[in-house]
Amino acid sequence: MSIGVVAAIGAALLAGTIPILTKVLMLDGIGATTILFYRYAFIFILSGFTFIIKRKNIKVTKKQLFELGIFSIFGYTGATLLLIQSFNFMPVGLASMLYFSYPFFVFIIMSMVFKETPSRLKIYSLLIVVVGIAFLINFDVSLINSGGLLALGSGLAYGIYLVGLQKSSLKEIDNAVTIFYLGGISAVILGIQGTIYTDNSLLLGLTVKRTMLTMTLSVITIVVLKMIAFAIKKADQPKLH
């Protein structure tokens, strides 16, 4: 097992805590857009503060900035927004499991768009994902309702984000810099959306409890994103012994 695979497994396990904390915030009365706005705003602030201390160069090219915007909107941010919205229609556990269909979409995109020849291991892994989802819904397609479609859509969006990391110029950017821009762009987009659709109440109602939970979400997100980016770059390196 390569170090990249270990990182990917660790990221998946840690990412499993994000929907739980998000649902806690939703039950406390915060809307999906507001949760994500503060989550990404804190990511942007925390990352920026770190760069200031380390005096790190965060300059990117125009092409990289454009790709960061595209994969923020249609990739990671879109994935998290769709996933949170699915919580309104189905249990968190079921929605999260459908979200983890993203390996299937990565497989499809890499095979059909980039003409990548899949290995036997990848084919077996894909079959496990498909069979797992089938058992999860007890082979009842009626469970793929609005919530199910939103959750699967989040898996597709996250798959697009992962492919973007591997196939675009973003692979040349330091992981921490990618996360910084991802947080900033996402916060701006969600802030505009929240201001338009929530009657300018986006900045209201952030109690101490909600702030701490949201900051915890931000820290977990940063760690998960770093582990995922690391896993993509290291997946083909020698196995651990």
Side-chain angles (χ1 to χ4, degrees):
M1 184 180 293
S2 71
I3 188 173
V5 173
V6 173
I9 294 174
L13 292 174
L14 188 58
T17 65
I18 294 177
I20 298 173
L21 292 176
T22 300
K23 187 63 177 181
V24 171
L25 283 166
M26 293 178 71
L27 292 175
D28 200 43
I30 304 183
T33 302
T34 303
I35 293 172
L36 290 178
F37 167 75
Y38 282 111
R39 175 177 163 185
Y40 288 115
F42 284 141
I43 288 174
F44 180 74
I45 294 170
L46 292 172
S47 299
F49 184 69
T50 302
F51 291 145
I52 292 174
I53 294 177
K54 295 182 177 180
R55 297 182 179 180
K56 186 171 183 177
N57 181 19
I58 59 173
K59 186 178 180 180
V60 296
T61 65
K62 291 182 179 179
K63 178 182 178 182
Q64 290 169 336
L65 184 60
F66 173 77
E67 290 178 345
L68 281 165
I70 292 297
F71 291 116
S72 293
I73 298 171
F74 299 104
Y76 193 81
T77 306
T80 52
L81 183 58
L82 289 172
L83 180 60
I84 290 181
Q85 294 292 354
S86 72
F87 295 165
N88 294 314
F89 301 95
M90 63 195 316
V92 172
L94 180 57
S96 299
M97 289 300 295
L98 291 175
Y99 161 72
F100 276 97
S101 63
Y102 65 80
F104 169 81
F105 294 112
V106 171
F107 178 92
I108 296 299
I109 294 171
M110 296 299 291
S111 299
M112 298 185 65
V113 178
F114 296 99
K115 309 302 180 182
E116 180 182 276
T117 302
S119 64
R120 286 187 178 182
L121 179 59
K122 290 182 179 179
I123 294 175
Y124 293 150
S125 300
L126 174 64
L127 290 175
I128 291 174
V129 170
V130 174
V131 173
I133 292 176
F135 274 103
L136 180 67
I137 63 175
N138 199 27
F139 298 92
D140 184 0
V141 294
S142 65
L143 291 178
I144 306 298
N145 51 22
S146 299
L149 292 176
L150 287 170
L152 288 172
S154 71
L156 172 60
Y158 193 60
I160 292 173
Y161 166 73
L162 293 179
V163 173
L165 282 183
Q166 185 178 12
K167 294 297 184 178
S168 71
S169 63
L170 300 185
K171 63 183 179 183
E172 302 169 1
I173 307 176
D174 181 85
N175 297 344
V177 176
T178 300
I179 294 170
F180 170 75
Y181 281 101
L182 178 69
I185 294 171
S186 300
V188 170
I189 295 170
L190 292 163
I192 294 173
Q193 178 186 346
T195 300
I196 294 174
Y197 293 105
T198 59
D199 299 325
N200 298 319
S201 61
L202 190 64
L203 300 178
L204 300 178
L206 198 63
T207 63
V208 174
K209 173 187 175 182
R210 294 173 178 177
T211 301
M212 295 303 296
L213 285 172
T214 308
M215 290 190 70
T216 301
L217 271 174
S218 300
V219 173
I220 293 175
T221 302
I222 291 174
V223 175
V224 169
L225 288 174
K226 285 187 175 182
M227 292 176 71
I228 286 292
F230 177 83
I232 291 174
K233 294 178 180 180
K234 302 293 183 180
D236 295 325
Q237 290 196 359
K239 297 180 179 180
L240 295 174
H241 297 286

PDB file of all heavy atoms in Angstrom, residues 40-54:
ATOM      1  N   TYR A  40     -15.581  28.567   4.719  1.00  0.00           N
ATOM      2  CA  TYR A  40     -14.539  28.939   3.767  1.00  0.00           C
ATOM      3  C   TYR A  40     -13.875  30.268   4.126  1.00  0.00           C
ATOM      4  O   TYR A  40     -12.685  30.467   3.844  1.00  0.00           O
ATOM      5  CB  TYR A  40     -15.112  28.985   2.356  1.00  0.00           C
ATOM      6  CG  TYR A  40     -15.405  27.613   1.811  1.00  0.00           C
ATOM      7  CD1 TYR A  40     -16.707  27.199   1.533  1.00  0.00           C
ATOM      8  CD2 TYR A  40     -14.377  26.698   1.602  1.00  0.00           C
ATOM      9  CE1 TYR A  40     -16.970  25.931   1.056  1.00  0.00           C
ATOM     10  CE2 TYR A  40     -14.629  25.429   1.131  1.00  0.00           C
ATOM     11  CZ  TYR A  40     -15.925  25.044   0.856  1.00  0.00           C
ATOM     12  OH  TYR A  40     -16.191  23.769   0.398  1.00  0.00           O
ATOM     13  N   ALA A  41     -14.629  31.168   4.743  1.00  0.00           N
ATOM     14  CA  ALA A  41     -14.025  32.429   5.185  1.00  0.00           C
ATOM     15  C   ALA A  41     -12.959  32.158   6.246  1.00  0.00           C
ATOM     16  O   ALA A  41     -11.866  32.752   6.215  1.00  0.00           O
ATOM     17  CB  ALA A  41     -15.103  33.358   5.742  1.00  0.00           C
ATOM     18  N   PHE A  42     -13.259  31.256   7.177  1.00  0.00           N
ATOM     19  CA  PHE A  42     -12.272  30.899   8.200  1.00  0.00           C
ATOM     20  C   PHE A  42     -11.068  30.194   7.574  1.00  0.00           C
ATOM     21  O   PHE A  42      -9.929  30.403   8.007  1.00  0.00           O
ATOM     22  CB  PHE A  42     -12.909  30.013   9.261  1.00  0.00           C
ATOM     23  CG  PHE A  42     -13.798  30.752  10.232  1.00  0.00           C
ATOM     24  CD1 PHE A  42     -14.996  30.185  10.677  1.00  0.00           C
ATOM     25  CD2 PHE A  42     -13.454  32.002  10.704  1.00  0.00           C
ATOM     26  CE1 PHE A  42     -15.820  30.861  11.567  1.00  0.00           C
ATOM     27  CE2 PHE A  42     -14.276  32.691  11.593  1.00  0.00           C
ATOM     28  CZ  PHE A  42     -15.458  32.123  12.026  1.00  0.00           C
ATOM     29  N   ILE A  43     -11.303  29.361   6.568  1.00  0.00           N
ATOM     30  CA  ILE A  43     -10.190  28.707   5.873  1.00  0.00           C
ATOM     31  C   ILE A  43      -9.285  29.758   5.240  1.00  0.00           C
ATOM     32  O   ILE A  43      -8.046  29.695   5.342  1.00  0.00           O
ATOM     33  CB  ILE A  43     -10.724  27.747   4.782  1.00  0.00           C
ATOM     34  CG1 ILE A  43     -11.345  26.506   5.432  1.00  0.00           C
ATOM     35  CG2 ILE A  43      -9.608  27.344   3.817  1.00  0.00           C
ATOM     36  CD1 ILE A  43     -12.028  25.583   4.439  1.00  0.00           C
ATOM     37  N   PHE A  44      -9.887  30.747   4.581  1.00  0.00           N
ATOM     38  CA  PHE A  44      -9.135  31.823   3.944  1.00  0.00           C
ATOM     39  C   PHE A  44      -8.328  32.621   4.972  1.00  0.00           C
ATOM     40  O   PHE A  44      -7.133  32.906   4.767  1.00  0.00           O
ATOM     41  CB  PHE A  44     -10.105  32.737   3.205  1.00  0.00           C
ATOM     42  CG  PHE A  44      -9.459  33.898   2.499  1.00  0.00           C
ATOM     43  CD1 PHE A  44      -8.735  33.689   1.330  1.00  0.00           C
ATOM     44  CD2 PHE A  44      -9.580  35.186   2.997  1.00  0.00           C
ATOM     45  CE1 PHE A  44      -8.138  34.758   0.672  1.00  0.00           C
ATOM     46  CE2 PHE A  44      -8.994  36.250   2.345  1.00  0.00           C
ATOM     47  CZ  PHE A  44      -8.269  36.034   1.179  1.00  0.00           C
ATOM     48  N   ILE A  45      -8.955  32.958   6.087  1.00  0.00           N
ATOM     49  CA  ILE A  45      -8.289  33.751   7.121  1.00  0.00           C
ATOM     50  C   ILE A  45      -7.160  32.969   7.789  1.00  0.00           C
ATOM     51  O   ILE A  45      -6.045  33.484   7.966  1.00  0.00           O
ATOM     52  CB  ILE A  45      -9.317  34.215   8.177  1.00  0.00           C
ATOM     53  CG1 ILE A  45     -10.317  35.186   7.549  1.00  0.00           C
ATOM     54  CG2 ILE A  45      -8.611  34.860   9.367  1.00  0.00           C
ATOM     55  CD1 ILE A  45     -11.492  35.518   8.436  1.00  0.00           C
ATOM     56  N   LEU A  46      -7.441  31.722   8.169  1.00  0.00           N
ATOM     57  CA  LEU A  46      -6.424  30.899   8.831  1.00  0.00           C
ATOM     58  C   LEU A  46      -5.226  30.650   7.921  1.00  0.00           C
ATOM     59  O   LEU A  46      -4.069  30.747   8.359  1.00  0.00           O
ATOM     60  CB  LEU A  46      -7.038  29.566   9.272  1.00  0.00           C
ATOM     61  CG  LEU A  46      -8.078  29.627  10.398  1.00  0.00           C
ATOM     62  CD1 LEU A  46      -8.727  28.254  10.590  1.00  0.00           C
ATOM     63  CD2 LEU A  46      -7.440  30.092  11.692  1.00  0.00           C
ATOM     64  N   SER A  47      -5.509  30.337   6.654  1.00  0.00           N
ATOM     65  CA  SER A  47      -4.424  30.097   5.700  1.00  0.00           C
ATOM     66  C   SER A  47      -3.622  31.371   5.459  1.00  0.00           C
ATOM     67  O   SER A  47      -2.385  31.355   5.428  1.00  0.00           O
ATOM     68  CB  SER A  47      -4.982  29.579   4.374  1.00  0.00           C
ATOM     69  OG  SER A  47      -5.664  28.364   4.542  1.00  0.00           O
ATOM     70  N   GLY A  48      -4.329  32.494   5.295  1.00  0.00           N
ATOM     71  CA  GLY A  48      -3.655  33.767   5.072  1.00  0.00           C
ATOM     72  C   GLY A  48      -2.788  34.171   6.246  1.00  0.00           C
ATOM     73  O   GLY A  48      -1.669  34.680   6.067  1.00  0.00           O
ATOM     74  N   PHE A  49      -3.281  33.947   7.454  1.00  0.00           N
ATOM     75  CA  PHE A  49      -2.508  34.273   8.655  1.00  0.00           C
ATOM     76  C   PHE A  49      -1.213  33.457   8.700  1.00  0.00           C
ATOM     77  O   PHE A  49      -0.152  33.972   9.062  1.00  0.00           O
ATOM     78  CB  PHE A  49      -3.353  33.991   9.903  1.00  0.00           C
ATOM     79  CG  PHE A  49      -2.697  34.383  11.187  1.00  0.00           C
ATOM     80  CD1 PHE A  49      -2.492  35.712  11.512  1.00  0.00           C
ATOM     81  CD2 PHE A  49      -2.274  33.413  12.095  1.00  0.00           C
ATOM     82  CE1 PHE A  49      -1.874  36.077  12.703  1.00  0.00           C
ATOM     83  CE2 PHE A  49      -1.665  33.765  13.289  1.00  0.00           C
ATOM     84  CZ  PHE A  49      -1.464  35.099  13.585  1.00  0.00           C
ATOM     85  N   THR A  50      -1.315  32.185   8.310  1.00  0.00           N
ATOM     86  CA  THR A  50      -0.134  31.317   8.274  1.00  0.00           C
ATOM     87  C   THR A  50       0.885  31.827   7.261  1.00  0.00           C
ATOM     88  O   THR A  50       2.099  31.837   7.531  1.00  0.00           O
ATOM     89  CB  THR A  50      -0.540  29.871   7.906  1.00  0.00           C
ATOM     90  OG1 THR A  50      -1.478  29.395   8.858  1.00  0.00           O
ATOM     91  CG2 THR A  50       0.682  28.954   7.892  1.00  0.00           C
ATOM     92  N   PHE A  51       0.414  32.262   6.094  1.00  0.00           N
ATOM     93  CA  PHE A  51       1.317  32.767   5.066  1.00  0.00           C
ATOM     94  C   PHE A  51       2.013  34.048   5.512  1.00  0.00           C
ATOM     95  O   PHE A  51       3.183  34.286   5.187  1.00  0.00           O
ATOM     96  CB  PHE A  51       0.550  33.029   3.764  1.00  0.00           C
ATOM     97  CG  PHE A  51       0.066  31.777   3.091  1.00  0.00           C
ATOM     98  CD1 PHE A  51      -1.149  31.760   2.417  1.00  0.00           C
ATOM     99  CD2 PHE A  51       0.813  30.614   3.127  1.00  0.00           C
ATOM    100  CE1 PHE A  51      -1.598  30.616   1.786  1.00  0.00           C
ATOM    101  CE2 PHE A  51       0.366  29.452   2.503  1.00  0.00           C
ATOM    102  CZ  PHE A  51      -0.831  29.456   1.839  1.00  0.00           C
ATOM    103  N   ILE A  52       1.276  34.888   6.242  1.00  0.00           N
ATOM    104  CA  ILE A  52       1.871  36.136   6.740  1.00  0.00           C
ATOM    105  C   ILE A  52       3.005  35.822   7.711  1.00  0.00           C
ATOM    106  O   ILE A  52       4.089  36.431   7.656  1.00  0.00           O
ATOM    107  CB  ILE A  52       0.801  37.004   7.430  1.00  0.00           C
ATOM    108  CG1 ILE A  52      -0.200  37.527   6.392  1.00  0.00           C
ATOM    109  CG2 ILE A  52       1.450  38.172   8.168  1.00  0.00           C
ATOM    110  CD1 ILE A  52      -1.368  38.279   6.983  1.00  0.00           C
ATOM    111  N   ILE A  53       2.775  34.872   8.606  1.00  0.00           N
ATOM    112  CA  ILE A  53       3.802  34.500   9.587  1.00  0.00           C
ATOM    113  C   ILE A  53       5.026  33.914   8.888  1.00  0.00           C
ATOM    114  O   ILE A  53       6.178  34.245   9.218  1.00  0.00           O
ATOM    115  CB  ILE A  53       3.232  33.482  10.597  1.00  0.00           C
ATOM    116  CG1 ILE A  53       2.136  34.139  11.448  1.00  0.00           C
ATOM    117  CG2 ILE A  53       4.341  32.928  11.497  1.00  0.00           C
ATOM    118  CD1 ILE A  53       1.470  33.183  12.415  1.00  0.00           C
ATOM    119  N   LYS A  54       4.781  33.039   7.914  1.00  0.00           N
ATOM    120  CA  LYS A  54       5.883  32.360   7.214  1.00  0.00           C
ATOM    121  C   LYS A  54       6.457  33.195   6.063  1.00  0.00           C
ATOM    122  O   LYS A  54       7.464  32.818   5.468  1.00  0.00           O
ATOM    123  CB  LYS A  54       5.402  31.014   6.656  1.00  0.00           C
ATOM    124  CG  LYS A  54       5.021  30.013   7.731  1.00  0.00           C
ATOM    125  CD  LYS A  54       4.611  28.683   7.106  1.00  0.00           C
ATOM    126  CE  LYS A  54       4.308  27.643   8.165  1.00  0.00           C
ATOM    127  NZ  LYS A  54       3.913  26.327   7.568  1.00  0.00           N
TER     128      LYS A  54
END
